[in-house]
Amino acid sequence: MGLHPLEFSECYLDSPSFREKIKAHEAELDKTNRFIKELYKDGKNLINATKQLSLAQRKFAQCLGEFQFEYIGDAKTDDEKCIDDSLQEFSAFLRNLEDQRELMMRNITETLMKPLEKFRKEQLGSAKAERKKYEKETEKYYTSLEKLLNMSAKKKEPQLQEADGTVEVMRQHFQEESLEYVCKLQEIQERKKFECVEPMLAFFQTVFTFYHQGFELAKDFDHYKRALQINIQNTRSRFEGTRSEVFELMKKIKEAPQEYRQTSPISSEGYLYVQEKRPPPFGSSWVKRYCTFVKEQKILHMVTFDPKSGGKFGETESVTLKSCVRKTTDTLDRRFCLDIEITDRPGTVLTVQAISEDDHKFWMQAMGGKEPVHYLGRTYSKERGISTLFSNFWSSSGLTRTVDAQLDEGGVNFVRNSINAIETRGINDQGLYRVVGVSSKVQKLLSLMIDEKSSDVDLAVCEEWDVKTITSALKLYLRSLPEPLMTYGLYKEFIVPAKSGSPEARVQAIHCLVHKLPEKNREVLSLVTKHLANVAAHSKQNLMTVANLGVVFGPTLMRPQEETVAAIMDLKFQNIVVEILIEQHEKIFGDAPSTSPSSAISPLAPTRQSKKQTRQSRPLAVYNPQVLDIHTVSPSSEGVSLAPDEASLGSNESVSSQSSTASASETPPEKAKGPLITTSQNSGVCTAMASWMNSTLSPSTPESSSEEPAAAAAVGGHEDKPAESVTPMKAKAVYSCEAEHDSELSFQVGAIFSNVTPSREPGWLEGELEGKRGLIPQNYVEIL
C-alpha cells in the first residue's frame, strides 16, 4: 500500500499512528527532494557534456569546411568538383545540426531545469518550513501542557484558570498548525505528480524535436547524398582506369628508362658532378649540380641541389659552352668525365662527371662532344615515334596490336558487322565490353575480318565467335588504327569543353568539333556511339551504364600523342567526352552545328584563378574569344594555336595539334581582333605578358617586330622582363566579378576601365574604375 491519507480529525487526536503517517509523508518528500537535486545535477552535467559535444562537433565541422582538395592537372571533372564541395556540405550540415542542438539545450534549461528547481525550492521548501513550524508548535504545546499538569492543585483558582487559558491557546495554535501542515503535505504529494512529470514531458518533446529536425535535415540531405555517391563511384571507376595506366607507364619506364628520359629539342637536363679546383695543397672537390643545357645558345645552367640535404637550393651559375671533349681515364682517374671549354673565361676548362655510361653518352650527344663514332652508341636525339597511350588496357588482357588496321571500307564493314552481331546476340550480356576475350582468338578474328577474302562472314549468325571475342576485336581494331577516331589533332580541343563550361555549352562545343572530323572518322564514330547508346539503354541487364562505357571507350576513341603522366591524368576528361557523345548522339550527329566551338563556350564566364594559383600555374596566354586570336609557336612545330579557354584553365601545356593551326586559319577576318603572335624556336612558349604586348600593337608597326625578340629573350632566359613602354588602353567588362582580395576590383557587366595596362601577375591586368586602381582578370574584359 502507498502512503496513508492524513485525516484532519486525527490532528486533534495526534495519535502515534498519525505521527507515523506524517513521518512517512515527510520521508517521501525528502526522497523527492533528493531525487530532484540529483536530477538537476545530472541535468547540468548533461547540458555541459552536450555543450562540449557541440563544441567538438563544430570544431570538426570547421576543420571539414577549411580543407580543400588539391588536384592533379589543370581542371576538375564535375564529379571531382562535387567531391571537393562535399566537405563544405558536410560542414554546413553539421553546423546546422549543432544549431538545432544548441536550441535544444536552451529549451531543456527553460522547460526542465528551471521548473524542477522552482518546484523543489517553492513547494518542497515551503513544506520543510511548515515542518519546522509544526515541530516548534508541538514542542511548545506539549511543554506547556506538562507544566500545567505538574502545577500544584493548591494554587489559587485565578492562577489555575490563567494557566488553563494559556495552554488552551497553545493547543488551538498547535491544532491549527497541524491542520495546515497536514494539508500542505497532502497538497505537495498530489502536486508533485504533474509538477515533476510535466517538465520531463517537455524535455522529451524537446529531444524529439531535435531528432525530428535531424531527420528533416537528413531527409533534405538525402538527394545530395545519393548524387554524391554516384560522383564517388564515377571517380573511383576513373581512378581505377587511371591507376592502371600510370602503373603500366611506370613499368615500361622501369624496363627502358633511357627511352623515356625527358628530352626536349630546346634543352637537356640532368645531374652532373662539377669539379671545383682549390689552391694547393687542398686539391679539388666534386659538387653535385642539376644542369640544364640550352642547345641553341649553348648555355649551361648549373644549380647546386642535393636531395640528401632536404632538397635545399644552392648557388646558380651559367656558362657558355665553346666545346666539349670526352676526358679519358689516362688524364683523370674517374669515369664518365667531360672537359667543357667555356667562352666566358677564355682558357678555362670545366670538368664534369656524368652519373653513368648512358648518361655520359647522353651529354656528349647533347653538347656535341667530340668522340669516336664507336663510342657514341645509339643516338639519343632521335624522336620517339608516336607512342600508344594506355597500352596496359591491352597488355593486361593479353591483347597486342599486331594487326595492320586501317580506316578503310573493309574496316567500316567490320565495325558494322561487329555491332550487328553484338546487338543481335549479346546486348544483354553482363559486363559487355568489360569482359575480354582470349587474346589469340581476338587476334585471329580481327585478322580474318579485315582480310578482303573473308570479310563477308556474318558474325551475327556465326556461332564460332562468342560475343566477348567480338567486342574485344572491335576495341582492338579501334585501338590499332594509326590515329584514333577523334584524331590527335583535335584531342586538345575535345578536352577543353570537358574541363569548363556548363553541360549545355559542352554539348555545343563537342557538337561543333565532331563536325570538324574527317568524314570517314565521323561516320565510324557515329556508328560506334549510336551502338553504345543502345548498349546503355539495356544497362539494367548488362550493367553497362553510360559512365561505365565512357571508362571503357575513353582511351579507345581518343588519346594524345604524348605518353606522360599528365596525359593520363586527362583520361577522366576523355571519359566525359565519350559520355556526352553517347548521351547526345542524336543531336551531335543529326544536324550540322550553327556555332563554332569557341563561341559555344564563350557565353560562360571563364574561371578566374587567384593570384596564388596564377603564380604556381602560369598560363601561356590569356585567351578571350571576343578580343584576341592568340597563337604561340611550339619548340617542335612551325605554329600552334592556343585552344579556346586554355589559358583561363591555367594550363601549363602548349597545344600541339595540326588541326588547331588549321582552325585558326579558318577564323573569319572580322573576328580576329588581334595580330598573330609568334616567337622564335629559341623562346619556347609565349608568356602572358608577351602576348598582351603584341596584341596591343598593330602587325604592321615596327614595334611588333622589335617586341618579338624581347619576348623570346625573356622566355629563353627563364625570366619575365616587363615591357619598356605600354600604351594605356580602355577595356569593357563582359562578365561581372566579385573581388576576392583588396588588390582586386569588383565590377558589373558593362563597366568601363581606364588606364588599363599589363600586370606583373600573369593573366591579370591593372586598371582604374571609379577612381580606384586594382587588378582585373584579363579574360573578364575586352579591349576597346
Side-chain angles (χ1 to χ4, degrees):
M1 184 177 177
L3 296 173
H4 292 277
L6 300 174
E7 298 292 343
F8 289 127
S9 59
E10 291 185 290
C11 295
Y12 295 92
L13 296 176
D14 197 21
S15 63
S17 63
F18 174 69
R19 285 286 179 164
E20 288 297 322
K21 293 177 184 178
I22 288 179
K23 285 184 178 181
H25 278 264
E26 289 174 345
E28 174 62 23
L29 291 184
D30 288 341
K31 185 177 73 171
T32 303
N33 185 62
R34 290 193 302 271
F35 161 71
I36 293 177
K37 287 181 69 174
E38 191 69 23
L39 187 66
Y40 186 85
K41 179 182 177 182
D42 292 340
K44 282 286 189 183
N45 292 336
L46 174 64
I47 291 175
N48 291 333
T50 306
K51 287 181 178 179
Q52 292 298 320
L53 171 64
S54 183
L55 287 174
Q57 291 268 51
R58 289 185 183 278
K59 186 175 180 182
F60 181 74
Q62 180 183 3
C63 182
L64 282 177
E66 291 176 351
F67 183 78
Q68 187 71 35
F69 286 107
E70 293 293 338
Y71 59 93
I72 300 175
D74 57 4
K76 294 181 283 189
T77 64
D78 291 341
D79 293 321
E80 290 173 331
K81 291 175 184 177
C82 292
I83 290 175
D84 289 351
D85 296 338
S86 65
L87 296 186
Q88 282 70 37
E89 291 289 339
F90 296 153
S91 176
F93 178 86
L94 289 177
R95 288 197 303 269
N96 201 342
L97 187 64
E98 293 314 306
D99 290 342
Q100 299 297 327
R101 194 191 306 275
E102 187 176 334
L103 181 61
M104 179 185 71
M105 289 298 102
R106 289 201 299 266
N107 289 340
I108 288 175
T109 301
E110 295 295 328
T111 60
L112 176 65
M113 307 301 292
K114 288 184 178 181
L116 285 177
E117 186 67 4
K118 181 180 178 181
F119 174 78
R120 190 183 71 82
K121 288 182 177 180
E122 292 183 359
Q123 300 299 326
L124 297 180
S126 64
K128 190 174 182 179
E130 287 291 334
R131 178 180 178 180
K132 289 181 180 179
K133 190 175 179 181
Y134 173 70
E135 289 174 350
K136 184 178 179 181
E137 289 296 329
T138 299
E139 184 179 356
K140 287 172 62 177
Y141 168 66
Y142 282 108
T143 300
S144 62
L145 181 61
E146 289 176 1
K147 287 182 180 180
L148 176 64
L149 295 177
N150 290 329
M151 185 177 289
S152 174
K154 298 179 181 181
K155 293 284 185 179
K156 295 180 179 180
E157 188 63 26
Q159 290 180 333
L160 293 175
Q161 290 179 353
E162 182 182 359
D164 290 340
T166 302
V167 171
E168 181 63 21
V169 171
M170 289 186 176
R171 182 182 62 78
Q172 291 178 356
H173 282 202
F174 165 68
Q175 289 175 346
E176 290 176 359
E177 184 60 36
S178 178
L179 290 170
E180 291 180 1
Y181 183 49
V182 166
C183 181
K184 189 70 174 178
L185 285 176
Q186 296 188 115
E187 176 190 346
I188 294 176
Q189 293 293 359
E190 294 299 313
R191 181 185 288 271
K192 72 177 183 181
K193 297 175 183 177
F194 57 86
E195 291 281 6
C196 290
V197 176
E198 190 175 41
M200 293 301 300
L201 178 61
F203 163 75
F204 278 100
Q205 182 60 38
T206 301
V207 173
F208 295 154
T209 301
F210 168 71
Y211 285 118
H212 180 72
Q213 290 291 341
F215 170 77
E216 290 295 330
L217 288 174
K219 188 176 179 182
D220 295 339
F221 196 74
D222 188 64
H223 178 73
Y224 176 79
K225 181 189 71 174
R226 293 177 184 275
L228 183 60
Q229 286 173 336
I230 296 174
N231 298 140
I232 292 173
Q233 183 59 42
N234 291 341
T235 303
R236 178 180 284 111
S237 298
R238 290 166 182 156
F239 161 75
E240 294 297 337
T242 302
R243 182 177 64 170
S244 61
E245 303 293 350
V246 171
F247 283 168
E248 181 63 21
L249 178 59
M250 180 177 65
K251 178 182 176 182
K252 288 168 27 178
I253 291 177
K254 284 182 178 180
E255 293 173 353
Q258 289 298 331
E259 292 296 325
Y260 287 86
R261 178 165 183 169
Q262 185 176 1
T263 59
S264 166
I266 297 177
S267 61
S268 301
E269 301 181 21
Y271 281 104
L272 288 173
Y273 283 82
V274 181
Q275 184 183 36
E276 293 186 356
K277 298 179 181 179
R278 299 178 182 178
F282 300 104
S284 62
S285 63
W286 294 82
V287 180
K288 185 179 183 180
R289 291 191 170 188
Y290 191 80
C291 300
T292 303
F293 180 66
V294 184
K295 299 177 182 179
E296 189 72 19
Q297 289 88 0
K298 292 189 175 183
I299 297 177
L300 182 65
H301 302 283
M302 299 178 291
V303 180
T304 303
F305 180 81
D306 190 356
K308 294 188 298 182
S309 62
K312 295 182 179 180
F313 284 90
E315 60 180 9
T316 302
E317 181 181 2
S318 299
V319 297
T320 304
L321 181 140
K322 181 179 180 181
S323 64
C324 173
V325 179
R326 182 181 71 86
K327 195 174 187 69
T328 63
T329 55
D330 297 338
T331 57
L332 181 64
D333 190 19
R334 294 178 78 100
R335 299 186 300 164
F336 320 137
C337 291
L338 301 170
D339 277 342
I340 301 174
E341 186 177 356
I342 56 179
T343 60
D344 308 69
R345 299 187 293 272
T348 302
V349 175
L350 192 66
T351 302
V352 298
Q353 183 181 25
I355 60 178
S356 67
E357 180 64 29
D358 286 342
D359 201 53
H360 178 262
K361 295 176 182 178
F362 169 81
W363 285 108
M364 285 284 289
Q365 177 69 21
M367 297 182 182
K370 298 178 180 179
E371 182 71 320
V373 176
H374 63 277
Y375 283 101
L376 287 176
R378 66 175 181 271
T379 303
Y380 280 79
S381 61
K382 66 178 181 180
E383 299 180 356
R384 296 186 356 232
I386 298 176
S387 58
T388 307
L389 193 57
F390 319 119
S391 60
N392 75 300
F393 179 85
W394 303 107
S395 62
S396 62
S397 59
L399 303 182
T400 56
R401 296 188 303 157
T402 60
V403 179
D404 183 19
Q406 297 295 328
L407 195 61
D408 51 16
E409 195 62 32
V412 176
N413 290 335
F414 167 64
V415 172
R416 294 181 188 274
N417 197 347
S418 299
I419 290 174
N420 181 49
I422 295 166
E423 295 187 350
T424 302
R425 298 168 50 192
I427 194 69
N428 293 323
D429 289 2
Q430 288 192 2
L432 189 65
Y433 283 109
R434 275 202 164 174
V435 179
V436 298
V438 179
S439 176
S440 58
K441 294 183 65 176
V442 172
Q443 293 279 352
K444 181 180 179 181
L445 173 60
L446 184 56
S447 300
L448 176 69
M449 295 307 297
I450 63 175
D451 186 355
E452 295 182 0
K453 298 178 180 179
S454 307
S455 59
D456 57 346
V457 177
D458 188 357
L459 296 176
V461 297
C462 184
E463 298 294 334
E464 179 184 355
W465 310 104
D466 55 17
V467 173
K468 64 182 180 182
T469 301
I470 299 174
T471 57
S472 298
L474 177 58
K475 288 188 293 182
L476 178 58
Y477 166 75
L478 295 174
R479 291 296 296 263
S480 300
L481 293 173
E483 187 176 33
L485 279 183
M486 299 172 72
T487 72
Y488 291 128
L490 289 176
Y491 173 80
K492 284 282 186 179
E493 297 186 41
F494 272 112
I495 288 293
V496 167
K499 293 182 177 180
S500 61
S502 66
E504 294 78 10
R506 291 175 183 174
V507 174
Q508 293 178 19
I510 292 174
H511 186 189
C512 298
L513 291 169
V514 163
H515 286 266
K516 292 173 65 175
L517 290 170
E519 183 177 353
K520 185 71 72 174
N521 293 57
R522 188 167 65 252
E523 175 189 355
V524 176
L525 184 62
S526 176
L527 288 172
V528 173
T529 52
K530 181 180 180 180
H531 163 62
L532 295 180
N534 190 20
V535 172
H538 294 76
S539 60
K540 288 186 178 180
Q541 291 78 30
N542 57 39
L543 306 181
M544 294 302 292
T545 62
V546 172
N548 291 337
L549 292 170
V551 172
V552 173
F553 278 88
T556 300
L557 300 178
M558 61 183 299
R559 58 185 181 273
Q561 286 179 288
E562 298 178 356
E563 190 172 14
T564 62
V565 173
I568 294 176
M569 290 299 109
D570 278 344
L571 178 61
K572 53 195 174 187
F573 297 107
Q574 298 172 215
N575 301 344
I576 292 174
V577 173
V578 174
E579 290 173 20
I580 292 174
L581 290 174
I582 297 172
E583 291 178 333
Q584 304 293 332
H585 173 269
E586 292 185 3
K587 177 179 179 180
I588 291 175
F589 294 94
D591 302 319
S594 58
T595 57
S596 65
S598 58
S599 62
I601 302 175
S602 61
L604 297 169
T607 303
R608 185 185 64 166
Q609 296 179 333
S610 66
K611 296 190 289 297
K612 179 180 178 181
Q613 290 174 323
T614 306
R615 292 191 188 101
Q616 294 174 349
S617 180
R618 171 172 298 182
L620 304 179
V622 178
Y623 179 82
N624 187 338
Q626 300 181 4
V627 182
L628 302 175
D629 185 13
I630 299 179
H631 302 265
T632 59
V633 172
S634 168
S636 60
S637 63
E638 292 297 327
V640 181
S641 68
L642 188 63
D645 286 354
E646 179 84 0
S648 66
L649 292 170
S651 174
N652 281 328
E653 300 182 33
S654 62
V655 181
S656 54
S657 64
Q658 297 177 355
S659 63
S660 298
T661 308
S663 62
S665 63
E666 296 170 3
T667 304
E670 62 271 16
K671 292 186 179 180
K673 301 292 183 69
L676 182 67
I677 301 177
T678 58
T679 58
S680 66
Q681 289 188 350
N682 299 339
S683 64
V685 294
C686 179
T687 63
M689 181 69 76
S691 66
W692 160 263
M693 289 300 298
N694 286 347
S695 66
T696 58
L697 299 173
S698 170
S700 59
T701 59
E703 287 82 358
S704 65
S705 59
S706 62
E707 287 293 325
E708 184 176 328
V715 180
H718 299 280
E719 58 183 18
D720 297 329
K721 297 181 180 179
E724 296 179 356
S725 62
V726 178
T727 304
M729 308 288 290
K730 284 188 175 183
K732 178 182 178 181
V734 293
Y735 307 107
S736 60
C737 176
E738 184 71 23
E740 297 177 355
H741 304 281
D742 295 337
S743 59
E744 301 173 15
L745 295 178
S746 296
F747 50 85
Q748 299 297 323
V749 176
I752 303 298
F753 304 93
S754 59
N755 295 327
V756 178
T757 58
S759 170
R760 293 182 180 178
E761 300 288 349
W764 293 75
L765 306 175
E766 292 183 8
E768 294 182 4
L769 177 65
E770 299 177 352
K772 181 181 178 181
R773 187 168 183 83
L775 292 172
I776 311 163
Q778 186 168 342
N779 50 352
Y780 273 57
V781 300
E782 62 178 358
I783 304 301
L784 299 178

